[in-house]
Each structure stands twice: as C-alpha cells, then as structure tokens.
Amino acid sequence: MRLKEEYSHNVDDYDDEDSETMSQISVGALQQQQLKNVVVVGYALTSKKIKSFLQPKLEGLARNKGILFVAIDQNRPLSDQGPFDIVLHKLTGKEWRQILEEYRRTHPEVTVLDPPDAIQHLHNRQSMLQCVADMNLSDSYGKVGVPRQLVIKRDASSIPDAVAKAGLTLPLVAKPLVADGSAKSHELSLAYDQYSLQKLEPPLVLQEFVNHGGVLFKVYIVGEAIKVVRRFSLPDVTKRELSKNAGVFRFPRVSCAAASADDADLDPSVAELPPRPLLERLAKELRRGLGLRLFNLDIIREHGTRDHFYVIDINYFPGKLNFYRISIMGAVLDLV
C-alpha cells in the first residue's frame, strides 16, 4: 500500500472549494503530479449518500491524513480505473454485485468495503438477525438476543393461524421482508389483535413487540470503533391498552436523527446505555459473523430489566453521523 509514511506533499494547498475537482480527478493525473504515498479510496455511492457522507470538510480532513476519495465512473469498466487501495460502495442491484465480485477476484490486493455477498444478508430480515440469534450472547454484563419472529411470504389470510401455531404474543411489529434502504423498507406496523393480522401485506417479518421504555440505542460500528446514540422509539404497550385497542397502526420510519433522545429528560433506567464491554463483544462477534466493517445495530433494553437486550435491526453503512464519517477514515488507515 502507498501510505506507509507521512503524506509528503502539501495537501493544505487545497481548500474546500477544490474538493469536488479533487474527487473527480483521475488517479493517472495524480500520478503525473507525483502525489504518491496516498491511500486512494474509490467510491461508488448514491447521490444521496455522497451528499450526506462525502462533504467538503471530510475530504479536506482526509487529504490531511493522506487519504484521497476518487469517484468511480459507473459507465466505465471498474478494472480500467484506479489503481485503488480501497473501494467504498453502497449501490444495489445484481449487476453491480457481479461487477464487484469479479473485481475482488481479479484485484485481491484491493480491500472492498464491504463484500457484496455479506451486505446482501442484511437486505433480508429473515437472515439479517440470524447471526445474533445463533450467537446467544450472554455474560456478566448482560444478555443479547432477538425478538421471536415469524416470516410470512404470501397469503395474508393465513397469518392469524401461522401466528397462533408459532405461539407469538400480541402485539406484533410487522416489517417488510426486504430491507433495501428504501423508504418503504423502513415502514412498520403494530398489530394489536389476531383479526387485524389479515390486513398486513406480505412478504413481511412479524416480531413480538418488546416494551423498552420508548427508547432504542443505535450502535454505529466502523471497524473496531463504536458509537452509541439514543433515539425515541414506539411507546410501551400496557395490558390495558392491548385489551382496549384493535387494528393495525402504521408508522413511518421510527428511529431517525430528528428523534434524538440524547438530551431528553428520561428515566435513568431507560436512558442508561448498554454496557461498553457487552457492545464491544457483540460488535466483534458480528464483524466476524457478518463479514462486515461498516454497519449499525438498533438495540432495545427490555423494560423493567437492566441487562436484557434485543437487536431488532441491522443496517449497512448508514447515517449522517459525524462519528461515522470520521471513523471511516480511521478504518481506512487501519487497513493499509
């Protein structure tokens, strides 16, 4: 790799206004300028992700660290571009996965963040949480599991019988089976009674709703770096409410940046973050089990307990969090 010493050129000569030009300049031109000893990160991101992640301040800070972000031209063969040290991506589609897999095969010296086949596991909520379920993590700091769940692929009329047979307890959270990052994939519903289950739209995953004080913890993981933030979530459901309410209540995306609970006046038993050693062990096991370096977890604490946690969702390369942007640079440096 090229970054084995301090960046020997004066990257401070470039200001933030040059960042767009620097992102688009070809690596060949950079070589002509003798900008060596640089880690070149080729990126293939959606326009939305570029806007939220690859901001001018980040690019400027990256240059000071000897890291150069270069846009991958999706209209040209990937093997004709570069050379790259790392390929950072968040695109979907079978064609793109095939391109990346072929590139990994022919360029084993390049680190791909992250392998497309590993990311694909997170696009299906049936397989998404299986790694956590198989782990059965429990130690002196707490226990981590997943809510009991049931996959329904078709025929909404069969859902009540399937739920009864599986022994799931109402209310149930219904989530789309496909988690592809679209707005629809983040929608969820809360079903209060057996009859209303027929109103749901397969394919979907049904999870037992676990009371958690209306707060969830988003755990951002970048390599070995971890950041935890609080977000407001669905409120608890009492037995009285369950007996009085019926129907399906639909919600848009529940946990988002606008719903931050970090500065809210919360019950300390609800607000207390999961123990750091527990999260570090969980992150380590998931990095190994999932084969991913950039992801986040949605975790809840069962209300009334201090150390019983559930992972309810896993997302790849999420968010606008500053920690995430900066920590990716640290992960990049660790890889070279």
Side-chain angles (χ1 to χ4, degrees):
M1 296 296 180
R2 285 185 284 278
L3 187 67
K4 296 300 180 185
E5 56 186 89
E6 289 296 319
Y7 188 17
S8 60
H9 296 268
N10 188 9
V11 294
D12 291 326
D13 289 343
Y14 301 99
D15 58 28
D16 286 344
E17 293 179 358
D18 297 319
S19 61
E20 184 175 354
T21 303
M22 286 295 294
S23 295
Q24 296 173 350
I25 193 168
S26 70
V27 177
L30 290 174
Q31 290 173 330
Q32 292 174 8
Q33 295 175 35
Q34 297 182 338
L35 292 181
K36 301 175 182 178
N37 304 322
V38 177
V39 176
V40 180
V41 180
Y43 66 88
L45 307 172
T46 63
S47 57
K48 180 180 178 181
K49 176 59 76 173
I50 291 173
K51 184 177 180 180
S52 66
F53 171 73
L54 206 61
Q55 298 182 355
K57 283 187 178 180
L58 176 71
E59 291 191 280
L61 182 58
R63 290 196 299 274
N64 289 336
K65 297 289 185 180
I67 302 170
L68 187 67
F69 288 98
V70 178
I72 290 174
D73 185 347
Q74 297 177 52
N75 296 316
R76 294 172 53 209
L78 185 54
S79 293
D80 292 348
Q81 302 180 60
F84 302 121
D85 294 309
I86 293 171
V87 169
L88 178 68
H89 71 101
K90 193 177 183 181
L91 297 178
T92 58
K94 184 177 180 180
E95 182 179 358
W96 173 249
R97 293 200 306 272
Q98 291 174 340
I99 290 172
L100 265 188
E101 291 293 1
E102 175 63 16
Y103 184 79
R104 291 180 71 210
R105 187 184 66 80
T106 57
H107 295 76
E109 76 283 2
V110 178
T111 299
V112 174
L113 293 177
D114 274 306
D117 55 345
I119 297 171
Q120 196 63 19
H121 285 293
L122 299 188
H123 289 170
N124 184 303
R125 285 195 167 95
Q126 183 174 11
S127 59
M128 174 193 292
L129 300 181
Q130 192 59 49
C131 185
V132 181
D134 293 342
M135 191 185 311
N136 194 25
L137 192 156
S138 180
D139 60 21
S140 59
Y141 293 101
K143 180 178 180 180
V144 179
V146 299
R148 291 203 301 163
Q149 66 179 34
L150 176 67
V151 175
I152 304 293
K153 294 186 176 179
R154 60 182 67 87
D155 189 10
S157 64
S158 69
I159 297 179
D161 287 341
V163 166
K165 186 176 180 180
L168 297 187
T169 302
L170 293 165
L172 296 175
V173 179
K175 303 178 181 181
L177 181 60
V178 176
D180 58 5
S182 65
K184 183 174 178 59
S185 72
H186 288 291
E187 294 176 354
L188 59 83
S189 303
L190 192 62
Y192 277 84
D193 65 285
Q194 290 279 116
Y195 175 77
S196 298
L197 294 172
Q198 300 178 67
K199 299 178 182 179
L200 298 172
E201 300 176 7
L204 51 81
V205 171
L206 296 173
Q207 287 181 350
E208 284 188 335
F209 180 75
V210 178
N211 282 335
H212 52 284
V215 171
L216 63 77
F217 306 101
K218 296 194 82 71
V219 182
Y220 294 87
I221 298 168
V222 183
E224 296 185 2
I226 299 173
K227 172 73 174 180
V228 187
V229 297
R230 302 177 189 87
R231 293 284 184 265
F232 284 115
S233 179
L234 298 179
D236 290 349
V237 178
T238 65
K239 291 182 178 180
R240 185 169 181 270
E241 290 171 333
L242 186 59
S243 65
K244 285 193 169 187
N245 290 320
V248 173
F249 294 82
R250 305 186 187 279
F251 300 89
R253 186 170 187 165
V254 174
S255 66
C256 61
S260 174
D262 280 331
D263 298 324
D265 184 15
L266 299 170
D267 183 328
S269 66
V270 172
E272 183 182 6
L273 298 178
R276 188 76 182 187
L278 184 69
L279 293 180
E280 289 174 350
R281 183 181 170 192
L282 176 62
K284 180 179 179 180
E285 294 293 333
L286 286 177
R287 283 196 304 269
R288 181 172 58 187
L290 296 173
L292 298 173
R293 295 186 180 93
L294 311 176
F295 59 99
N296 91 283
L297 316 171
D298 287 351
I299 296 180
I300 59 174
R301 173 193 286 112
E302 184 173 2
H303 193 47
T305 75
R306 186 177 182 182
D307 60 0
H308 198 171
F309 301 93
Y310 293 91
V311 177
I312 58 174
D313 221 349
I314 306 177
N315 300 290
Y316 174 66
F317 193 177
K320 302 178 181 178
L321 201 65
N322 283 334
F323 158 85
Y324 215 78
R325 293 193 285 260
I326 302 305
S327 294
I328 283 178
M329 293 198 304
V332 164
L333 294 175
D334 288 341
L335 289 170
V336 295

